[in-house]
Amino acid sequence: MFSANDFIPETYSATIDQGSFTWSAPSNIALVKYWGKKDKQIPANPSISFTLNHCKTITKLGFSKKENNGNFSFDLLFEGKPKEDFKPKIEKFLERIELHLPFLKDYHFTIDTQNTFPHSSGIASSASGMAALAMNFMSLEKALHPEMTDDYFYQKASFLARLGSGSACRSVKGSVVVWGNHINTKGSSDLFGVEFPNTIHDNFRNYQDTILLVDKGEKQVSSTVGHDLMHNHPFAERRFAQAHDNLDKLSIILQNGNLDEFIKIVESEALTLHAMMMTSMPYFILMKPNTLEIINAIWKFRNETKIPVCFTLDAGANVHVLYPKNVCEKVLQFIQDELVGYCQNGHYICDEIGNGTEIIK
């Protein structure tokens, strides 16, 4: 079993004074949701996600050696402009990972980040953002320790990303990623995400995710607060057990290609996530009226056409419409004819399953 101590380096064999790296990291969408966490960003239950392809954060990390004066030193640019209000989150991240990257106070960093999707679109950028930053820091550590193996590199990157934003650990590597200790998933861990260890059925290759942007505003309850409300939740234990069961079922479905069963699990998980919010104390609702209109329209369309299209939700109002590539034309026509009117300013984003982080030369 891995422990956090496995990611504390002993010494470095090389030195580097300055340079830069650039990585892109994608967003991801959970199919079995994680809601509730323990200390140090440990999930209360395992989750599994599709990695997206087009919704990405691209981050360039410049670094130059300085005197270690006991402080972190960094400039933060978002789309080329200074972004002061992001800095406290980065500072907190650096504090959490310093034990595992002891060189952090030896350098001044310039973090220059941008998203391929509009920042105010209501798509969470913390997962892709923290994953991209973790990959850059790991590239610097690899330069200081060239003997590092690829396996360790990606595992530790996922471990670090998790300390910035839990779901970020699922954005590092693989098209389908499991995070959280799960008895029937080989290699799974609470500390980092792992690629789904089994062969995925052709039905799920190039699976499509069209994201309907119902509400682009700030959520009235942050995910951090929402997770904390699971501590005294009357249904928490049952929910955590359900997530383990659903991950078992979904593992089999991803291998046998049963789309009807896939739809049942994925939609049930989305609604359970929101049910947990509605039954916590204090309780809250992140869906909007248009979220429900879209869900009902999808159910009606699926019923009438037998096309295997379904929805999932994050902790927000936006709807992810999931469907196989071979029904793409019909589903996009349905979205344009019936669903666009429920999106804020008619905005939606077409995405599909991708493969994780990439270094940009």
Side-chain angles (χ1 to χ4, degrees), residues 23-28 55-61 76 78 86 89-90 93 111-117 119 123-137 157 160-162 164-165 167-169 171-172 357:
W23 281 86
S24 78
S27 208
N28 68 74
C55 289
K56 295 179 176 180
T57 298
I58 299 162
T59 300
K60 180 179 181 181
L61 180 77
L76 184 66
F78 180 67
F86 279 12
K89 192 165 186 179
I90 302 295
F93 178 50
I111 301 163
D112 192 350
T113 190
Q114 58 180 316
N115 295 329
T116 60
F117 49 92
H119 176 63
I123 295 179
S125 56
S126 55
S128 52
M130 288 300 179
L133 190 51
M135 296 308 290
N136 279 303
F137 283 137
L160 296 174
R162 187 196 97 244
S165 167
S167 56
C169 75
S171 280
V172 169
T357 52

Side-chain angles (χ1 to χ4, degrees), residues 216-262:
K216 302 181 186 183
E218 280 286 302
K219 292 186 299 206
Q220 71 264 38
V221 177
S222 76
S223 292
T224 304
V225 171
H227 283 295
D228 284 347
L229 292 174
M230 287 299 281
H231 288 309
N232 302 310
H233 199 293
F235 308 129
E237 290 314 312
R238 183 66 203 97
R239 162 59 201 153
F240 301 148
Q242 179 196 35
H244 282 270
D245 292 344
N246 280 344
L247 186 44
D248 276 334
K249 289 172 185 162
L250 200 60
S251 295
I252 293 163
I253 291 162
L254 289 170
Q255 294 171 79
N256 69 20
N258 187 326
L259 292 174
D260 290 339
E261 291 302 311
F262 176 82

Side-chain angles (χ1 to χ4, degrees), residues 22 29 72 94 101 115 149 163 192 277 290 309 323 330-331 335 348 353:
T22 305
I29 179 67
F72 298 118
L94 296 176
L101 298 177
N115 295 329
T149 66
L163 292 172
F192 46 80
M277 299 172 193
N290 282 356
V309 57
Y323 50 98
K330 288 173 182 163
V331 174
I335 287 169
Y348 63 96
I353 286 191

Side-chain angles (χ1 to χ4, degrees), residues 6 13 47 64 70 92 105 108 127 134 188 198 263 268 278-279 320:
D6 293 319
S13 57
S47 57
S64 55
K92 192 174 181 182
K105 286 176 178 167
H108 174 77
S188 62
N198 306 307
I263 287 168
S268 163
M278 293 184 213
T279 48
H320 289 249

